[in-house]
Amino acid sequence: MSVRILFFVVGGLLLCPSLASAQNESNADLEEARALYLAGNAAVQSGRWADAVKNFERAYELSKVPAALYNLGISLRALGRHKEAKDSFSLLLSKHGSSLSAAMKQSAERSLQEEKQRIAVLVLNKLSSDVKYQITIDGKLIPDTGARPLILEIDSGQHAVYVERENHKLFRWQGNLDDGQQQSVDVDTPPLATEKATLDVIPPAQNHFLQPDQALNADTESSSVLESPLFWTIIGVVVIGAAIGGYFLLSPADERLSPMSDTRVKL
């Protein structure tokens, strides 16, 4: 049996007296916590670290037993979730430090320092102090604490960061962070361009309603046309043509077609 697995088994033994002293929890919760803790140990022995995290996390929520929190930190570290592991060891020491055995406290302090060195730091600069931003890292919402610059602890690896502000353009940053690296990023979220609405004006050529001055111009143009000699010449031709056409339509057929008819049109 490896040292790591042996430690978890010992942790299970430490759980029993701790549960007995948890006076504020119901018996049902304590029994569930004990079962979850043992299931977490079994998951560790088979290398199912994700299952171990779920079991130890829930066991601590129900019992507030330090051994469950310690094992949670170890399981998170095995998954490479160093930020969460650091938080677990930090909580363990701050809340349960006085009740820990000397060996567990020393191990927790050493693990905390190791995790701090592995965590990367992302510094967001040029954020407005009077604005709350919506920040997501790899799809997970990160609270804006209001600190400027905003310092975010993050695990090493490839990340995508989005910073949003109402009525402003979205800011994106993508990059790779190494263990312990500190990366500064200048956030730029310029305001969205506002376009002024324009009224649709009907061009004069398409306006079907005449204004008073337009009506006056129309009357003047009509008078000019009536006084034009060319206008009356065209009207005369049209009238004569209409009369000739009416004759042919109204006269008897034989009279219209007879070459000796008194009515003839000379070209």
Side-chain angles (χ1 to χ4, degrees), residues 9-224:
V9 174
V10 173
L13 297 177
L14 292 173
L15 182 66
C16 298
S18 300
L19 285 176
S21 63
Q23 300 296 329
N24 295 330
E25 305 297 335
S26 67
N27 290 333
D29 286 345
L30 295 180
E31 288 300 322
E32 182 181 355
R34 181 181 288 107
L36 288 167
Y37 189 91
L38 295 176
N41 279 339
V44 168
Q45 294 184 53
S46 60
R48 294 180 289 108
W49 293 104
D51 292 338
V53 166
K54 294 179 181 178
N55 290 321
F56 290 133
E57 187 173 36
R58 181 57 178 162
Y60 179 73
E61 289 176 357
L62 293 172
S63 66
K64 298 297 186 274
V65 170
L69 184 57
Y70 180 89
N71 284 359
L72 173 61
I74 296 296
S75 301
L76 289 167
R77 182 172 66 179
L79 290 173
R81 293 161 62 175
H82 302 291
K83 166 65 170 59
E84 295 172 84
K86 187 222 61 166
D87 292 341
S88 296
F89 292 126
S90 180
L91 178 62
L92 176 65
L93 292 169
S94 63
K95 191 170 184 178
H96 306 285
S98 60
S99 63
L100 297 178
S101 66
M104 181 178 287
K105 185 176 182 179
Q106 183 180 2
S107 179
E109 290 174 342
R110 182 175 61 252
S111 297
L112 176 60
Q113 295 304 315
E114 291 174 351
E115 295 309 288
K116 284 183 176 180
Q117 294 176 2
R118 301 196 66 174
I119 294 173
V121 176
L122 190 65
V123 181
L124 301 183
N125 299 311
K126 297 187 177 181
L127 296 176
S128 297
S129 58
D130 58 344
V131 175
K132 284 289 186 179
Y133 293 83
Q134 181 171 301
I135 303 168
T136 56
I137 299 179
D138 304 327
K140 182 180 180 181
L141 186 63
I142 305 298
D144 180 5
T145 62
R148 301 293 183 264
L150 184 60
I151 300 176
L152 304 175
E153 294 182 333
I154 188 172
D155 291 328
S156 60
Q158 189 74 25
H159 296 285
V161 179
Y162 297 85
V163 181
E164 297 181 72
R165 176 182 176 183
E166 187 176 1
N167 298 325
H168 287 68
K169 291 184 179 180
L170 175 69
F171 175 80
R172 303 178 180 87
W173 178 86
Q174 289 183 321
N176 186 77
L177 298 175
D178 297 327
D179 286 352
Q181 178 182 354
Q182 179 170 313
Q183 176 70 48
S184 293
V185 176
D186 291 338
V187 177
D188 183 21
T189 55
L192 292 173
T194 56
E195 297 181 358
K196 295 183 179 180
T198 57
L199 297 176
D200 293 333
V201 180
I202 301 177
Q206 298 179 3
N207 195 335
H208 302 293
F209 299 95
L210 296 178
Q211 300 300 323
D213 56 340
Q214 292 177 318
L216 180 60
N217 292 336
D219 292 340
T220 304
E221 292 175 2
S222 299
S223 300
S224 300

